Amino acid sequence: MVNAGGILTIAKKECRIQLRYRVVWINFALTPFFMLAPWVLTAKMFSPDFGEAVLVGSLMWYWLNQYFFGVQEAFEDEREEGTLISIALTPISLLEFLIGKGMWILVECVYITGVTMLIFWALGISQAISPQMFAVYILSGLYTFAFSILWGALVLQFRRIAGINFITQEILGIASGVTANINAYPRLMRTVAYILPLTYTIKIGREILLGRTFFEVLPDLAILTIITFLYFSIGTVLLKRAENNLRSMGGWEAW
């Protein structure tokens, strides 16, 4: 049975901490634009539609960026604050702990995406920033979070891989077609792309951008749901295994 109260407690704790650092919200508001603008505006020089499509992929990749860093640093932050052991002693699993963290990251991502969309709107990007697309970005974020649980489990099990977080995100972004159509990729790279949830969220987002209906994107949504569920299931198993090892062997502070 899911400990809903514990999950909400973790989310509220994150909220209270993050709201104390108000300057960080300025960083949240502006950094995504400066990271994404070179790709989007360069693409727009070739074609306005290309610029819109790149913005869709870039925003979805940024959600992955936030969730991958969020779940990875969830353990390190608590260790540095000296509260990881306290959490381990509470009647809450690490999966529920990450879900609580993920709820707060959702709030951050909604804020980041909203502000970034406003800035791009001022620069002439219009179709990719509609309310409908905003809802698509949030939906893609939920799938991304489920996928990131696998990364969080791997970081807890093999802590040194935390050092390749950023390059992992870059590889996932390129393979998923953030700035390109994966149909132009070699067969091997397309094969990799088809097993990544980000590929399908980007594809669905661009299809909706072109005016496709929900029923027209349903096949891709079904595939996305299935593979995300598989990654989430594997992630929860690995996370539970790592948690059990920590509880039996110790080493909560070893990082």
Side-chain angles (χ1 to χ4, degrees), residues 17 67 80 111 131 156 201 208 210 249 251:
I17 292 174
Y67 268 118
E80 291 174 357
Y111 168 77
L156 189 63
T201 59
I208 292 177
L210 295 173
M249 304 295 291

Side-chain angles (χ1 to χ4, degrees), residues 16-36:
R16 287 195 295 270
I17 292 174
Q18 295 297 330
L19 291 180
R20 288 183 179 179
Y21 301 97
R22 295 184 179 87
V23 176
V24 172
W25 292 86
I26 298 175
N27 183 57
F28 284 158
L30 300 178
T31 299
F33 167 74
F34 288 110
M35 286 182 64
L36 307 183

Side-chain angles (χ1 to χ4, degrees), residues 160 183 188 224 254:
R160 291 183 179 178
N183 292 330
L188 177 61
L224 170 64

Side-chain angles (χ1 to χ4, degrees), residues 10-197:
I10 294 294
K12 290 177 182 175
K13 168 180 170 291
E14 286 300 305
C15 175
R16 287 195 295 270
I17 292 174
Q18 295 297 330
L19 291 180
R20 288 183 179 179
Y21 301 97
R22 295 184 179 87
V23 176
V24 172
W25 292 86
I26 298 175
N27 183 57
F28 284 158
L30 300 178
T31 299
F33 167 74
F34 288 110
M35 286 182 64
L36 307 183
W39 300 348
V40 176
L41 297 181
T42 300
K44 188 183 176 186
M45 290 174 58
F46 292 95
S47 160
D49 290 342
F50 188 28
E52 303 268 359
V54 170
L55 179 56
V56 171
S58 300
L59 281 174
M60 291 182 173
W61 174 80
Y62 202 82
W63 278 74
L64 181 141
N65 179 291
Q66 291 298 106
Y67 268 118
F68 263 50
F69 275 119
V71 298
Q72 170 194 310
E73 294 175 352
F75 305 116
E76 294 186 58
D77 288 347
E78 298 295 340
R79 183 184 63 83
E80 291 174 357
E81 294 168 7
T83 54
L84 186 58
I85 291 293
S86 300
I87 291 173
L89 294 175
T90 62
I92 184 172
S93 68
L94 290 186
L95 176 61
E96 292 165 337
F97 165 69
L98 288 182
I99 292 175
K101 289 273 188 177
M103 289 177 66
W104 175 248
I105 297 172
L106 175 66
V107 175
E108 286 183 352
C109 287
V110 167
Y111 168 77
I112 289 169
T113 303
V115 175
T116 304
M117 289 171 70
L118 285 175
I119 298 174
F120 277 110
W121 171 77
L123 294 176
I125 302 288
S126 58
Q127 298 175 38
I129 59 170
S130 66
Q132 182 186 28
M133 292 305 300
F134 191 42
V136 172
Y137 298 139
I138 295 174
L139 178 64
S140 75
L142 298 178
Y143 282 96
T144 299
F145 170 60
F147 180 47
S148 68
I149 292 296
L150 174 60
W151 177 254
L154 292 174
V155 168
L156 189 63
Q157 182 70 41
F158 310 103
R159 299 176 186 181
R160 291 183 179 178
I161 69 169
I164 59 170
N165 186 331
F166 187 72
I167 190 66
T168 301
Q169 295 174 39
E170 292 286 335
I171 293 172
L172 291 175
I174 293 172
S176 301
V178 168
T179 58
N181 189 329
I182 62 169
N183 292 330
Y185 287 171
R187 179 179 297 179
L188 177 61
M189 199 161 174
R190 286 203 306 274
T191 302
V192 174
Y194 288 136
I195 63 173
L196 298 175

